[in-house]
Amino acid sequence: TMIATYAHHGHCKGALQLFSQMQLEIVKPNKITFLTVLNACITGVLLDEGRLAHAQIIERGFESDVVIGTAIVKMYSQCGSLEDARRMFNDIPKRDVVLWSVMIAAYAQHGNGKGALQLYQQMQLEGLLADEITFVIILDTCASLLMALEEGKLIHASILERGFESCVVVGNA
């Protein structure tokens, strides 16, 4: 779409203007359109516009979709609002490993390594298994925390148990 093309080339505000024009012409946005708009907000670090998109997502009834919800969590985090990201995360009824990984990464990126480790532990308690991306995020978090050696050893054991030791990305982490 034109919106995606604008956003892809770094013209985030132009993408959002097209989105507004689309709505003025009474074209209803679908999930893909909203994902594109949220991505434009992330790229341009446009928190206010992201909040408006989130409100429209709620109006359209898409907020409980895990893919849309994950994009909203990522948007809030990347735009500097960890509190809004966590609130959205908590509101999503069915969380998958991608959503958990985005939220763990958000905590780590905002300098809250202990919070990231707690989320990782909570994810495990809820029965979700980490994937390669989750392991990379959490290993990077352990490396940044001086007191996380024991947690790192436990995570390494999980990596071996799950057979990810030969994964290049995990091995490099």
Side-chain angles (χ1 to χ4, degrees):
T1 68
M2 289 291 291
I3 296 170
T5 301
Y6 268 71
H8 178 74
H9 290 286
H11 303 289
C12 302
K13 290 201 177 205
L16 296 176
Q17 287 172 344
L18 283 174
F19 176 66
S20 295
Q21 183 179 350
M22 178 183 101
Q23 292 177 301
L24 290 174
E25 295 178 15
I26 313 177
V27 177
K28 292 185 178 181
N30 60 23
K31 290 178 186 179
I32 302 299
T33 307
F34 279 120
L35 288 170
T36 304
V37 167
L38 290 168
N39 192 44
C41 293
I42 291 167
T43 303
V45 192
L46 304 169
L47 180 59
D48 291 337
E49 291 83 346
R51 284 191 170 122
L52 290 173
H54 184 189
Q56 291 176 353
I57 288 166
I58 291 170
E59 286 175 18
R60 299 274 296 142
F62 296 146
E63 74 277 4
S64 63
D65 179 277
V66 71
V67 175
I68 295 284
T70 300
I72 294 169
V73 169
K74 185 175 181 180
M75 181 275 300
Y76 279 130
S77 171
Q78 295 292 311
C79 291
S81 182
L82 183 60
E83 183 178 309
D84 286 329
R86 182 58 191 249
R87 189 175 306 115
M88 182 63 201
F89 174 83
N90 289 341
D91 288 345
I92 298 172
K94 289 193 173 193
R95 300 179 197 139
D96 63 9
V97 70
V98 176
L99 175 58
W100 278 96
S101 295
V102 166
M103 195 68 238
I104 291 166
Y107 270 78
Q109 289 167 355
H110 284 263
N112 188 343
K114 288 186 180 187
L117 285 171
Q118 288 171 345
L119 273 173
Y120 172 72
Q121 292 164 350
Q122 184 182 349
M123 181 184 86
Q124 289 181 305
L125 289 173
E126 292 191 17
L128 277 119
L129 297 174
D131 64 8
E132 297 96 328
I133 302 301
T134 313
F135 281 128
V136 169
I137 293 165
I138 206 66
L139 284 173
D140 284 346
T141 301
C142 286
S144 70
L145 294 173
L146 296 175
M147 303 303 286
L149 181 59
E150 289 306 312
E151 288 88 348
K153 287 179 180 179
L154 291 172
I155 292 163
H156 184 251
S158 294
I159 290 168
L160 295 175
E161 181 181 307
R162 299 277 318 279
F164 289 132
E165 69 274 6
S166 62
C167 177
V168 174
V169 176
V170 175
N172 287 337

